[in-house]
């Protein structure tokens, strides 16, 4: 019987884990385009995590051991590269077109949401700081992508990341169903369709949820919602930098500021946005790159879900859900007030 040496076996072990992650990602991307799921707000990232969670909890432990190296590769370098490429979805022109009001609303909501998440999560609900930050980031910015990007900053565990994403999916889906109903009965609640769209993009969690809710309203609301959401995505980079500064101050006695290293994927995110703004590429090329980015992020989500055990999620109890409910309510109330000003 042929026995592989350690050096010969390692690349193969790495490949199997990567292949499994991308297989889950490909299946999630396909499912997200089917007639049953298209337009429901359940994007490929959420589906990839759910598929990974299902598969990871059905297979025996020896399969986890065999795939671990490749899964870890997808949860780190593949994820960071995917977050950097996420900037290709944005342009400076899009931000300028929506105006200062939407930018201010998004900035205020992000700052207030993450502050409330840390205070309420750690001081009142006694959650682990990492869990509170990840739930706050997912609600404040762009759902699962923000949770994944923040996880590397706070060094969150797999179960903490999965809990945060589950909260984003649950309450974001409820909002996705509620907002079109509110628009149907009170379309002028925030002035006009444009105002309602800005409110939607500034307060719903996932990009896919914003798209689904906007399409259920009217074209003007849908366009404003998407651009307002993209501004929140743009603010992911300064949010991560600010989070790094805050974490460094917490880790140094006396509150002094430690040296903060800017993550390369944050620089890459900004660079991709500027590249997309100043050197417009053919639409076919841009669609191909965004599709590749969707695949990379979905592979990271699939790897994350596969590595997470349901027993770890059950241990968290109701406290993460209570925090997520409070953050969702705060986003809706404060976002509504700011949209009316």
């Amino acid at each position: 019987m042929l026995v592989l040496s350690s050096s010969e076996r390692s690349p193969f072990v790495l490949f199997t884990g990567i292949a499994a992650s991308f297989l889950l990602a490909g299946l999630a991307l396909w499912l997200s385009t089917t007639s049953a799921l298209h337009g429901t707000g359940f994007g490929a990232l959420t589906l990839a995590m759910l598929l990974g969670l299902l598969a990871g909890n059905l297979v025996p432990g020896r399969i986890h051991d065999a795939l671990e190296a490749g899964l870890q590769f997808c949860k780190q370098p593949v994820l960071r590269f995917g977050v950097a490429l996420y900037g290709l979805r944005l342009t400076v022109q899009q931000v300028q077109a929506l105006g200062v009001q939407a930018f201010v609303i998004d900035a205020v909501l992000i700052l207030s949401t993450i502050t409330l998440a840390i205070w309420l999560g750690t001081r009142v609900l006694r959650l682990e700081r990492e869990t509170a930050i990840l739930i706050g980031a997912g609600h404040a910015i762009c759902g699962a992508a923000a949770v994944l990007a923040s996880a590397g900053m706070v060094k969150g565990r797999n179960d903490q990341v999965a809990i945060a994403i589950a909260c984003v999916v649950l309450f974001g889906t409820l909002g996705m169903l509620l907002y079109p109903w509110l628009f149907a009965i009170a379309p002028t609640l925030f002035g006009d369709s444009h105002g309602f769209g800005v409110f939607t993009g500034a307060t719903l969690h996932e990009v896919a949820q914003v798209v689904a809710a906007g399409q259920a309203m009217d074209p003007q609301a849908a366009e404003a919602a998407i651009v307002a959401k993209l501004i929140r995505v743009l603010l992911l980079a300064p949010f991560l930098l600010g989070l790094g500064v805050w974490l460094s101050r917490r880790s140094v006695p006396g509150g002094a500021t430690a040296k903060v290293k800017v993550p390369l994927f944050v620089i890459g995110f900004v660079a991709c946005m500027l590249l997309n703004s100043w050197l417009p590429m053919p639409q076919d090329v841009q669609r191909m790159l965004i599709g590749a980015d969707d695949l990379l992020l979905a592979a990271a989500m699939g790897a994350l879900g596969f590595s997470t055990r349901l027993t770890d999620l059950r241990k968290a109890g109701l406290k993460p859900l209570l925090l997520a409910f409070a953050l969702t309510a705060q986003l809706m109330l404060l976002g509504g007030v700011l949209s009316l000003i």
Side-chain angles (χ1 to χ4, degrees), residues 88-89 91 276 281-291:
L88 290 174
R89 303 163 198 259
T91 66
N276 192 37
M281 60 189 73
Q283 288 189 350
D284 290 343
V285 174
Q286 186 182 36
R287 279 197 295 267
M288 181 185 67
L289 289 174
I290 290 176

Side-chain angles (χ1 to χ4, degrees), residues 24 47-57 301-303 305-308:
L24 290 169
L47 292 171
M49 190 200 73
L50 293 175
L51 289 172
L53 196 63
L54 177 64
N57 282 272
M301 291 290 281
F306 197 95
S307 302
T308 304

Side-chain angles (χ1 to χ4, degrees), residues 125-147:
L125 296 174
R126 301 296 180 185
L127 288 169
E128 294 175 294
R129 186 179 69 179
E130 294 81 4
T131 301
I133 292 174
L134 293 175
I135 293 175
H139 283 68
I141 308 175
C142 53
V147 174

Side-chain angles (χ1 to χ4, degrees), residues 4 34 112 141 186 222 255 266 272 280:
L4 296 177
T34 60
S112 61
I141 308 175
V266 175
C272 285

Side-chain angles (χ1 to χ4, degrees), residues 86-97:
Y86 208 80
L88 290 174
R89 303 163 198 259
L90 296 167
T91 66
V92 174
Q93 293 84 357
Q94 285 175 317
V95 176
Q96 292 174 333

